[in-house]
Amino acid sequence: MTSTIPAPVTRTAEGSALQAVLLDMDGTLVDTEGFWWDVEVEIFAGLGHTLDDSWRHVVVGGPMTRSAGFLIEATGADITLAELTVLLNQGFEDRIGRTLPLMPGAARLLAELAEYEIPTALVSASHRRIIDRVLTSLGPQYFALTVAGDEVARTKPYPDPYLFAAAGLGADPARCAVVEDTATGIAAAEAAGCHVVAVPSVAPIAPAARRTVVTSLEEVDLAFLRGLMTEMR
């Protein structure tokens, strides 16, 4: 599976200015942010280092180069970024092979977007090998496009992944609703000009212009997302 841009999708629900929905993966659709931290703790323990729990807020949301680089620098561990990246991806794959819990409301939201033929993309800072594994549980049929962190020149917090996804769906970024759980992903979506629905997972997120904060995906449905676009008119 690749993130090759498909033919533009221009159809939208009648009477709605919502053109596409772009969804983050870890911590937004699947309850895996804790998995990444657990793997990081285990790997560094094996290297003789204990991670400070306060660092979890620093590394959450990726990209892996930033989070892994921070942990190497903070601990002084004798490991290269390339070596750590391999260990992190492998450790995460092992964990999701055992269990992959979806966030409350995720399955219902994806089904509703599909039912009403809303163009939808999965936009993650995780690498392609991880996304493809997770898609087997999420359902690849729900996404017209998927974008991985190792397939764009600059991943989150830069806007590139969301601009790429919007272009691939033939949508105006200003008419896209992005669902994210971390400050890193929110920064990327807002820099792309999208309206953001924040569902905080690890660290709190404050409301802001073009940003709506909810406590769970169970509060988010198609009517809610359309309403965000209506408010912008």
Side-chain angles (χ1 to χ4, degrees):
M1 183 177 298
T2 68
S3 62
T4 302
I5 297 179
V9 179
T10 57
R11 181 180 58 222
T12 59
E14 184 177 354
S16 172
L18 177 68
Q19 293 182 352
V21 177
L22 316 177
L23 298 148
D24 174 53
M25 186 176 75
D26 293 303
T28 299
L29 291 177
V30 288
D31 191 8
T32 50
E33 288 292 10
F35 286 13
W36 284 111
W37 179 248
D38 290 344
V39 170
E40 289 159 350
V41 168
E42 289 177 5
I43 290 172
F44 278 90
L47 296 170
H49 298 275
T50 300
L51 299 188
D52 190 313
D53 195 61
S54 66
W55 296 344
R56 183 174 180 179
H57 296 271
V58 179
V59 301
V60 68
M64 187 176 293
T65 53
R66 176 182 63 77
S67 56
F70 168 82
L71 292 175
I72 292 173
E73 182 176 354
T75 61
D78 184 18
I79 189 170
T80 67
L81 182 60
E83 291 169 337
L84 180 56
T85 297
V86 171
L87 292 177
L88 288 171
N89 276 323
Q90 186 58 58
F92 185 78
E93 283 191 81
D94 291 344
R95 283 184 176 270
I96 64 176
R98 297 194 294 268
T99 180
L100 185 55
L102 270 59
M103 299 297 287
R108 186 263 315 148
L109 177 60
L110 290 174
E112 183 179 18
L113 295 175
E115 179 183 357
Y116 288 92
E117 299 184 302
I118 304 299
T120 303
L122 184 68
V123 184
S124 176
S126 290
H127 290 188
R128 169 55 57 187
R129 60 184 284 189
I130 299 298
I131 288 181
D132 286 348
R133 286 289 300 276
V134 173
L135 278 172
T136 61
S137 294
L138 275 178
Q141 71 274 14
Y142 291 121
F143 304 100
L145 174 68
T146 62
V147 181
D150 57 341
E151 295 174 338
V152 290
R154 303 184 305 173
T155 189
K156 304 172 187 180
Y158 295 99
D160 304 37
Y162 283 114
L163 292 174
F164 184 93
L169 296 178
D172 177 356
R175 294 300 178 185
C176 292
V178 170
V179 185
E180 272 279 2
D181 72 305
T182 68
T184 300
I186 289 168
E190 291 180 341
C194 306
H195 193 116
V196 177
V197 178
V199 192
S201 60
V202 175
I205 303 292
R210 299 178 64 84
R211 182 195 309 166
T212 303
V213 180
V214 298
T215 59
S216 167
L217 281 183
E218 294 181 313
E219 300 176 41
V220 181
D221 58 14
L222 182 53
F224 178 91
L225 296 173
R226 287 175 174 165
L228 299 178
M229 301 297 119
T230 301
E231 293 171 5
M232 292 165 48
R233 290 179 175 178

